[in-house]
Amino acid sequence: MQWTTHEVSNQVPELHDYNLFSSDCVLVSAVRESAAGWYLPELARLGAELGRAEILQLAQLADQHPPELQTHDRFGNRIDRVDFHASWHHLLRLQRGANLHALPWSQPRPGAHIARTAAYYLQAQIESGSLCPVTMTFAAIPLLQQEPALFATLREQLFSLQHDERDLPWPDKTSMLIGMGMTEKQGGSDVRSNTTVARPLAAPGRGQPYALTGHKWFFSAPMCDAHLVLARTEAGPACFFVPRWRPDGSKNAILIQRLKDKLGNRSNASSEVEFQDAYGVMVGEDGRGIPTIIEMANHTRLDCVIGSAGLMRSALVQALHHARHRQAFGLPLAEQPLMQNVLADLALESEAATRLMLRLAQAAEPGSDPLERAWRRIVTPAAKFWICKRALEFTGECMEVWGGNGYVENAPMARMYREAPVNSIWEGSGNVMCLDVLRAIAKEGEAYKLLLDTLLDIAQAHHGLRELIAELRTDLALPAAQQEMQARRFTQRLVLVAQACLILQGAPATIAEAFINSRLDAESGRVFGTLATPLVAQEIIARAWPR
Ligand SMILES: Cc1cc2nc3c(=O)[nH]c(=O)nc-3n(C[C@H](O)[C@H](O)[C@H](O)COP(=O)(O)OP(=O)(O)OC[C@H]3O[C@@H](n4cnc5c(N)ncnc54)[C@H](O)[C@@H]3O)c2cc1C
């Protein structure tokens, strides 16, 4: 006997088979007008590929099947291996094929950083955990290029477009991934407190072999073929290239103690490890390990910005799709005035994040222009603070657009919400970023002045923006302790001014006015959906997601 208790109705159809690139008018126009115009066809191809139902399913699977640590084989030998679900490897194959790990290094040409940023942004809309080793590899390459002898042996595997999941010494593989190990139990932000030591195995110094003893408390993607690790020599902290296998073909003594049980980023393995005389080669100068490894940070921090902007875009698209299909009180949610205010406000925030991300990618292009240096060195950490933080509230609000369906784990909203905090924590947490902004301004005073002058030129017609820029100048006259205390306030202001100017330059006037009026309005901004001029909301929403 069959019981019919109810019919399923007013549930929103799954969103799939859409082009992530061509449906994003802000991204398309910004890339078209940039030096990366040559990459448009590849982005259109990638956007269509990533929007396929099968790929979206892989992201869900990778999150639902976290990696598993195998410390020993069945005979009792240590193997320290992490097994990943097939979906993880599929996602890495996609990223590798798109050259997200190396594009500007292996194919240097004008616009290469912007091209890679746009592609990474598309990938970040699918799954975040698998981006971690790709980012680390990307950031490690310029550092390794400064060690010509070592780099010559790594080049082919680093630049390869194929993902090779085999656990073998890297010279026997077609490609390799690089991770990074700095954080210890007693300190992550303050890496000067590191206690891991390195003992020379021959003559000391750059390019020489060492034995490392100690631990790392967070060591992501332990199946990477090598890690850049911070360890102390007699001269102070130094940076080491520590491969998973020794040159004689034996397993290096990096013992994986356990995997972290994480809130999000679950497809990716983050581990605790111990080094027991692990083999490593010194990279950079002895005693200069912190500046050496921090060189990677400008790249990893920009990737955190791109990752969070991608997460926001993805959550926005899902929210808009849902609101257009779900009816309540006789109308689609997207036609309810208060929901329109929420969606439009979210769309403005997402556009501001995307524009700032692309501007920072432009500044990452090679060159020593002081204005570009200011964007790169001062605005990148500021954006890392702000955009990664905004992603937290943003994904929560988008989840709420879905109502109760947003809160369950068999749909993407919960995963995005769990994913959001990590970009704000790793690679320098929020406060550390704001303090870095102040440090960078102290070092790059002239470049900072030039940046403010440029922003002022763009903002001439806006009294409120002009006042904020004036405050950005006068704040630097405060005593150091007060500046430090107010570093978040200062950084927030700097980012809002930068975003407002980028929107003024690139977006239609109505969009720019809506962004500036709301972000400068003291009563807006504590939650999304408080635009004072919601009349333009429909225009903003239609532009954000045309489907
Ligand atoms: C999922 C995940 C993966 C990770 N993978 C890696 C990895 O692969 N390699 C690696 O090396 N690390 C990794 N990390 C570690 C991460 O980089 C650190 O957690 C982070 O740098 C913060 O360090 P901490 O945890 O020791 O916190 P702490 O340094 O103790 O900081 C705690 C808080 O204090 C704040 N703070 C610190 N100093 C100041 C100050 N002077 N003034 C005001 N506030 C301050 C920080 O902003 C932070 O909010 C990972 C972390 C996570 C969550």
Side-chain angles (χ1 to χ4, degrees), residues 31-357:
V31 173
R32 187 176 289 135
E33 287 157 23
S34 78
W38 50 270
Y39 203 59
L40 285 165
E42 175 57 15
L43 289 170
R45 187 203 62 77
L46 193 61
E49 166 74 6
L50 292 175
R52 284 171 49 223
E54 183 198 344
I55 303 294
L56 301 172
Q57 175 70 9
L58 285 174
Q60 193 79 1
L61 283 172
D63 184 69
Q64 284 167 351
H65 298 277
E68 288 176 14
L69 173 62
Q70 313 292 343
T71 53
H72 297 79
D73 67 11
R74 70 190 177 95
F75 308 105
N77 300 306
R78 270 209 89 117
I79 52 172
D80 296 284
R81 196 186 68 217
V82 183
D83 292 336
F84 290 87
H85 191 256
S87 52
W88 162 270
H89 293 298
H90 196 128
L91 290 166
L92 276 175
R93 268 193 290 281
L94 275 174
Q95 296 175 23
R96 195 99 203 181
N99 209 357
L100 296 190
H101 65 290
L103 179 65
W105 319 131
S106 63
Q107 295 169 32
R109 62 183 283 188
H113 277 277
I114 301 168
R116 187 254 176 195
T117 294
Y120 189 106
Y121 174 72
L122 297 180
Q123 191 81 44
Q125 294 175 43
I126 301 302
E127 205 280 320
S128 304
S130 50
L131 287 169
C132 169
V134 170
T135 284
M136 297 293 164
T137 306
F138 175 70
I141 291 176
L143 208 82
L144 292 167
Q145 280 176 322
Q146 292 172 31
E147 311 295 320
L150 176 61
F151 188 72
T153 66
L154 306 170
R155 189 177 188 285
E156 197 180 324
Q157 282 85 349
L158 283 174
F159 286 174
S160 167
L161 297 183
Q162 285 163 25
H163 169 59
D164 187 342
E165 63 182 81
R166 293 172 301 162
D167 185 18
L168 294 174
W170 57 264
D172 300 336
K173 296 182 61 171
T174 49
S175 68
M176 68 187 298
L177 289 166
I178 310 268
M180 195 171 77
M182 297 199 289
T183 307
E184 298 185 2
K185 291 189 185 79
Q186 68 284 356
S189 308
D190 185 6
V191 286
R192 290 169 307 178
S193 67
N194 270 203
T195 57
T196 298
V197 289
R199 171 175 59 83
L201 292 173
R206 192 170 189 159
Q208 294 296 329
Y210 280 74
L212 275 66
T213 306
H215 82 282
K216 293 295 163 187
W217 183 233
F218 277 93
F219 195 73
S220 283
M223 289 305 287
C224 283
D225 301 280
H227 282 76
L228 291 176
V229 173
L230 212 55
R232 194 167 279 286
T233 67
E234 284 181 1
C239 179
F240 294 89
F241 172 82
V242 181
R244 203 171 140 66
W245 298 78
R246 293 192 192 92
D248 66 5
S250 62
K251 190 60 88 38
N252 206 358
I254 307 161
L255 306 189
I256 305 174
Q257 303 302 302
R258 60 176 169 175
L259 298 187
K260 299 286 193 187
D261 183 8
K262 295 176 292 184
L263 168 72
N265 212 256
R266 294 221 290 237
S267 65
N268 177 32
S270 301
S271 62
E272 297 163 18
V273 293
E274 281 186 11
F275 306 115
Q276 298 184 356
D277 268 349
Y279 169 86
V281 176
M282 189 182 284
V283 169
E285 285 175 39
D286 197 0
R288 302 276 304 153
I290 294 176
T292 302
I293 216 160
I294 289 293
E295 263 188 60
M296 292 172 69
N298 266 340
H299 299 299
T300 54
R301 288 172 183 172
L302 177 53
D303 274 13
C304 290
V305 170
I306 312 168
S308 291
L311 206 55
M312 285 159 76
R313 171 71 190 170
S314 183
L316 173 70
V317 166
Q318 290 287 357
L320 290 170
H321 172 74
H322 185 92
R324 283 179 187 154
H325 287 86
R326 176 81 169 176
Q327 304 251 344
F329 305 98
L331 272 181
L333 290 174
E335 291 173 28
Q336 313 272 3
L338 182 52
M339 183 59 94
Q340 288 180 338
N341 196 331
V342 173
L343 295 171
D345 206 359
L346 289 166
L348 289 175
E349 192 67 30
S350 171
E351 174 161 352
T354 304
R355 288 191 183 279
L356 182 52
M357 158 200 105

